[in-house]
Amino acid sequence: MDARECGRKSGSRPVPHSATLHAGYKNTTEMILREDIRASIAADPELWRDFEALCDFGGRLSGTESERQALAFLRKRGAQASGVSCRAVPVAYHGWRARDARLAFGDGSTAPCHPLVRSVATPAAGIAAEVVDLGRGTPEEFDAHREELAGRIALVRHELMFAAGTIHRRRKVMMARAAGAVGFLIAGPLPGACVAGSSGRDGDDGIPSAGISPETAARLARSSAGWPRVTLTTATEEAPAATETLLFDIPGRTDEWVVLSAHVDGHDLAESAIDNATGVAAALAVTRAVAGHIAPLRRGLRLAFFSVEEWALIGSAQYVTGLAARERDAIALNVNLDSVAGGASLTAMTSGFAGLEPFLLAVAEANGHKLRCVRPLMMNSDHGNFATAGIPAFRLVAGYDDPLANTRYVLTPADTRDKVTPSQLAAAAELSATVVLAACDAPPAEAQKWRSNRAPRP
Ligand SMILES: [Zn+2]
């Protein structure tokens, strides 16, 4: 059963005249998505076509031809969906590319490994060191092995990304560095496959970091002879690089905005289908469906495609820091679509904005969608930059806290189009369109509540 099937109320629904919201959110008829808009998303053949086109470009790693093709495609598709021309804002960043990576064992055999994005290179001969297996790589495990890590390579496990209590890879790299480790290996969940990800490196310092398969990790188990010894070799190229943020503005009645965003870039292990061809295709479909209905509403819709998200959220960070205080205040809400299909459930990660949750739940319920709100701020996508700047922001994600959802394949070679169903993608687009229209039309007093980090009490 997918999100649409389990979320949809049975029986007939009223066909309201508009998606207009009124204070209090008691009159649910007023906040139900217009039937013609809902139907246009459900029957939109371009939603799946765009999703497949993005997958066809490949993983869209920033700095590759694959990313450039996707951006060129989106300049055109964004303009067609919104009816306005594209504003492309240049984004400068530290370009990085892996040329080679391998792991050699004492017996002369080798195993593949995949350098984490922006990992520093090893000397040409590699780093020869013992590997300390820290299991999952919790702070407790790092602490217990603190004395042993100096001069050695830390080995940890990749975790289910969209789950409560997940320890982000970036934290594990930092703990390894703090303990004096000279290298970092992370074992993926997929048999026979390496895992990708970002090293989280900021600046010039760092340790060589790479993803490996679970089988390679098994070969690195400690024995009575001690910690196993390997030689890790990574070769990289670094140079200043440029990409862009694509913006499409559909004005409302005032100079206030709702920003609908999705990141274009991904990793080069596969198609980056779930993460994030789903979000980009859904954002296009939402824009297509609502573009003609924005002008009479209070707020305009700004469609934003960011890149170098996998580079520590650089594209959106530059966008948000480039806004004047007045422009930041004029953004009522950021709706960030990242990995919105590939699981049966949809979750809004509300980034500490407790005051936003009643609005999102009311809109979802009125339209027969099940939605869960998860509150802690997680800097795991572009919404994090909006949230830290004080702009109400949430990330819509599929399969949160569901270990069997296909979102578990994100960052592996199995993040391919077959892990997503058309109905999951349509359900995410429909819910997003409903939230966007309601947010564009919400009264100022309601939008003010979204900025609160205090849970409202009746
Ligand atoms: Zn993502």
Side-chain angles (χ1 to χ4, degrees):
M1 193 189 286
D2 67 18
R4 170 181 301 251
E5 285 152 358
C6 67
R8 172 79 49 227
K9 283 178 190 156
S10 58
S12 62
R13 300 192 308 168
V15 181
H17 177 64
S18 86
T20 306
L21 277 171
H22 290 277
Y25 303 105
K26 299 296 184 217
N27 186 351
T28 52
T29 305
E30 296 287 342
M31 51 196 295
I32 293 174
L33 189 66
R34 276 173 49 155
E35 185 57 29
D36 56 336
I37 300 176
R38 195 198 65 74
S40 75
I41 293 174
D44 182 355
E46 295 179 74
L47 172 56
W48 191 258
R49 231 180 273 152
D50 285 339
F51 170 68
E52 291 207 291
L54 288 157
C55 292
D56 286 342
F57 294 128
R60 308 178 301 283
L61 180 72
S62 289
T64 63
E65 186 56 27
S66 169
E67 181 217 18
R68 274 187 287 279
Q69 286 176 353
L71 285 167
F73 172 79
L74 290 173
R75 278 175 176 242
K76 207 170 66 192
R77 295 297 288 150
Q80 287 167 346
S82 64
V84 299
S85 52
C86 175
R87 193 152 54 92
V89 183
V91 174
Y93 69 103
H94 295 282
W96 174 95
R97 195 171 79 84
R99 278 197 290 112
D100 188 24
R102 94 196 91 88
L103 198 61
F105 293 86
D107 63 4
S109 64
T110 61
C113 62
H114 194 81
L116 302 185
V117 165
R118 287 214 73 214
S119 165
V120 295
T122 62
I127 290 174
E130 290 173 332
V131 179
V132 178
D133 187 345
L134 296 158
R136 186 181 155 203
T138 61
E140 293 78 14
E141 284 162 318
F142 271 98
D143 203 42
H145 290 278
R146 182 163 305 279
E147 301 290 309
E148 292 158 291
L149 277 167
R152 292 188 168 120
I153 295 170
L155 167 62
V156 303
R157 302 299 177 292
H158 175 89
E159 299 184 37
L160 195 61
M161 296 180 65
F162 311 125
T166 289
I167 301 170
H168 199 281
R169 174 192 337 99
R170 188 171 53 240
R171 271 189 71 196
K172 297 179 185 182
V173 177
M174 282 168 57
M175 289 190 283
R177 282 191 62 196
V182 294
F184 180 85
L185 294 173
I186 185 163
L190 195 65
C194 293
V195 70
S198 167
S199 66
R201 176 178 155 213
D202 186 18
D204 291 333
D205 293 342
I207 52 176
S209 314
I212 58 175
S213 71
E215 292 83 358
T216 301
R219 288 186 65 184
L220 295 171
R222 183 187 189 183
S223 72
S224 60
W227 301 109
R229 192 172 180 82
V230 297
T231 302
L232 171 65
T233 309
T234 59
T236 64
E237 282 171 14
E238 299 196 30
T243 181
E244 54 192 12
T245 292
L246 308 182
L247 301 171
F248 305 86
D249 284 359
I250 308 170
R253 284 190 285 113
T254 70
D255 60 359
E256 294 175 34
W257 297 94
V258 170
V259 176
L260 174 66
S261 62
H263 74 87
V264 179
D265 62 313
H267 290 278
D268 55 0
L269 280 173
E271 299 178 332
S272 300
I274 294 172
D275 182 12
N276 186 28
T278 59
V280 174
L284 282 170
V286 170
T287 305
R288 234 176 349 258
V290 307
H293 305 275
I294 298 292
L297 305 183
R298 166 173 282 277
R299 301 178 187 84
L301 171 63
R302 175 171 297 159
L303 172 65
F305 292 123
F306 295 116
S307 195
V308 276
E309 190 266 359
E310 307 286 3
W311 252 251
L313 317 178
I314 288 178
S316 56
Q318 289 189 14
Y319 170 75
V320 172
T321 52
L323 294 171
R326 176 181 46 80
E327 294 172 304
R328 263 203 310 273
D329 291 347
I331 299 175
L333 181 65
N334 167 229
V335 179
N336 184 43
L337 308 186
D338 191 350
S339 309
V340 296
S345 61
L346 286 169
T347 295
M349 303 171 79
T350 52
S351 315
F353 290 97
L356 175 60
E357 292 168 3
F359 166 76
L360 296 178
L361 293 171
V363 173
E365 279 168 22
N367 291 277
H369 290 273
K370 281 197 177 132
L371 180 70
R372 179 184 168 198
C373 291
V374 168
R375 191 172 302 166
L377 170 63
M378 295 182 217
M379 296 296 290
N380 56 15
S381 187
D382 295 313
H383 65 289
N385 285 318
F386 287 83
T388 50
I391 301 167
F394 76 96
R395 170 185 181 169
L396 189 70
V397 67
Y400 192 90
D401 268 348
D402 179 359
L404 297 179
N406 283 343
T407 41
R408 71 185 187 275
Y409 295 121
V410 163
L411 295 180
T412 77
D415 183 2
T416 47
R417 65 192 80 185
D418 55 303
K419 306 304 184 305
V420 173
T421 69
S423 60
Q424 287 170 349
L425 202 48
E430 186 189 314
L431 175 59
S432 304
T434 311
V435 169
V436 162
L437 280 174
C440 284
D441 204 26
E446 171 58 29
Q448 192 56 39
K449 292 181 197 164
W450 304 342
R451 298 188 178 266
S452 173
N453 58 8
R454 307 276 296 271
R457 288 177 187 273

